[in-house]
Amino acid sequence: MSVNDAKDWSQAEKRIARIAFDKAYEREIAAVIKEVREQSSTIAELGDLWRLNDFLNARRHEIDGKYDYRYSVLIFVFAQLLREGWLHLDELEGLAADKRSKIVALTRM
Amino acid sequence: MSVNDAKDWSQAEKRIARIAFDKAYEREIAAVIKEVREQSSTIAELGDLWRLNDFLNARRHEIDGKYDYRYSVLIFVFAQLLREGWLHLDELEGLAADKRSKIVALTRM
């Protein structure tokens, strides 16, 4: 069964997916904000400033690319978020078993 | 008389110019660091993060371009630094009168 199309996701699954997605996003943003505050409190010279700048550029690029809520890529996104620790498997409870097992399998790749 | 070549600057003038240049640079960097600390202490959401990122990108680009210590451009650099307040005219005391008057004239352009 395909899992990569909007019609393969029930309304209940879509709600669960959206909540999990937003939660992971919030967590990652909160971590970036925390890191930026820490880094900026220790800035002493120009090199520190540009290191913070590089860090922000990299995070922005990565976050912009990663949080893609198209159903065609969503199980890949969830696998990455699980692998990186922004999402926990129990937050995907309520998704069909085939989706969950595909996501788990992808986290190992 | 030309003022745009290293041979037009005496050793004493070069020392004065270097000190003034470095002082302006230090002041501007200190101001950016202060601004970044203030901005980062008020970051609450993603938009604030990317605003800080945009601010850093812009400052970096501007500072990289502006602090150019070639004698061929130095009076233009000093004029800009005076205009922006990073340098004070009395810090150029000891430069030949023609250099100072050209720098002052350039600040008005």
Side-chain angles (χ1 to χ4, degrees), chain A residues 52-103:
Chain A
L52 174 63
N53 189 210
D54 291 338
F55 172 79
L56 281 168
N57 279 329
R59 288 276 93 43
R60 186 179 203 161
H61 183 75
E62 193 207 328
I63 289 172
D64 278 353
K66 184 161 62 178
Y67 286 88
D68 184 347
Y69 195 82
R70 287 174 297 154
Y71 292 102
S72 57
V73 296
L74 202 49
I75 68 164
F76 300 96
V77 174
F78 281 152
Q80 185 176 1
L81 294 174
L82 284 172
R83 202 167 45 230
E84 295 175 352
W86 303 116
L87 192 64
H88 311 302
L89 190 56
D90 60 9
E91 294 173 309
L92 296 178
E93 212 143 312
L95 297 190
D98 64 327
K99 290 191 187 68
R100 286 165 51 95
S101 64
K102 280 183 183 171
I103 291 167

Side-chain angles (χ1 to χ4, degrees), chain A residues 25 29 32-33 36-37 40-46 49-54 56-57 59-61 63-64, chain B residues 25 29 32-33 36-37 40-46 49-54 56-57 59-61 63-64:
Chain A
Y25 186 73
I29 299 307
V32 176
I33 290 174
V36 167
R37 284 197 185 142
S40 65
S41 70
T42 65
I43 288 173
E45 51 170 40
L46 197 66
L49 265 187
W50 298 165
R51 249 188 303 285
L52 174 63
N53 189 210
D54 291 338
L56 281 168
N57 279 329
R59 288 276 93 43
R60 186 179 203 161
H61 183 75
I63 289 172
D64 278 353
Chain B
Y25 187 72
I29 299 309
V32 175
I33 290 174
V36 166
R37 285 200 183 139
S40 65
S41 69
T42 64
I43 288 173
E45 51 169 42
L46 198 66
L49 265 186
W50 298 165
R51 247 187 305 284
L52 174 62
N53 189 209
D54 290 338
L56 281 167
N57 280 329
R59 287 276 96 41
R60 187 178 203 161
H61 183 74
I63 290 172
D64 278 353

